[in-house]
């Protein structure tokens, strides 16, 4: 083998060793960071057994209302219902109906 080939093999070995060492350093830093993030011993609210949430006895069902004055009514109708007036009528001219024309079938010329 020539001196060029031996030097290229040596440089490649040093490069691979450098990448391996850099990887180990990054793993060590990431491990320290994760241990620091999860090392705090805070109270887990889901694991509490003695504490119960304060209950008023009434159930709160979900609704589509945006304001509390008219529960169960959605969107702009909620503000209309809260104001005591009827919701606006739907606009029938917004989307025209689809009309399909029937074309007569062509019969092949004999």
């Amino acid at each position: 083998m020539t001196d060029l080939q031996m030097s290229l093999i040596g440089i490649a070995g040093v490069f691979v060793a450098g990448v391996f060492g850099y990887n180990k350093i990054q793993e060590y830093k990431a491990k320290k960071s994760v241990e620091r993030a999860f090392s705090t011993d805070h109270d887990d609210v889901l694991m509490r057994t003695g504490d119960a949430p304060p209950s008023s006895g009434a159930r709160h069902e979900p609704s589509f209302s945006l304001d509390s004055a008219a529960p169960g009514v959605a969107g702009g109708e909620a503000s209309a219902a809260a104001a005591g007036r009827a919701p606006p009528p739907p606009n029938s001219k917004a989307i025209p109906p689809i009309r399909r024309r029937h074309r007569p079938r062509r019969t092949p010329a004999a």
Side-chain angles (χ1 to χ4, degrees):
M1 294 185 115
T2 64
D3 289 337
L4 176 64
Q5 289 173 333
M6 291 300 286
S7 62
L8 288 176
I9 289 173
I11 291 172
V14 169
F15 180 75
V16 169
V19 168
F20 184 76
Y22 181 75
N23 187 24
K24 286 295 180 185
I25 292 170
Q26 293 299 318
E27 285 179 3
Y28 176 73
K29 287 182 179 179
K31 184 178 179 182
K32 270 180 51 174
S33 173
V34 168
E35 285 176 355
R36 216 175 326 124
F38 290 109
S39 68
T40 58
D41 190 26
H42 62 278
D43 188 27
D44 191 357
V45 276
L46 296 178
M47 298 302 289
R48 292 182 189 168
T49 57
D51 297 337
S55 176
S56 64
R59 291 181 58 159
H60 296 284
E61 296 293 331
S63 66
F64 292 106
S65 177
L66 296 178
D67 50 341
S68 60
V73 183
E77 293 133 6
S79 59
R85 55 187 164 87
N91 188 357
S92 61
K93 296 181 182 179
I95 301 174
I98 299 174
R99 294 185 182 147
R100 296 186 181 182
R101 293 183 296 172
H102 295 284
R103 295 183 190 171
R105 290 190 177 195
R106 292 186 177 180
T107 55

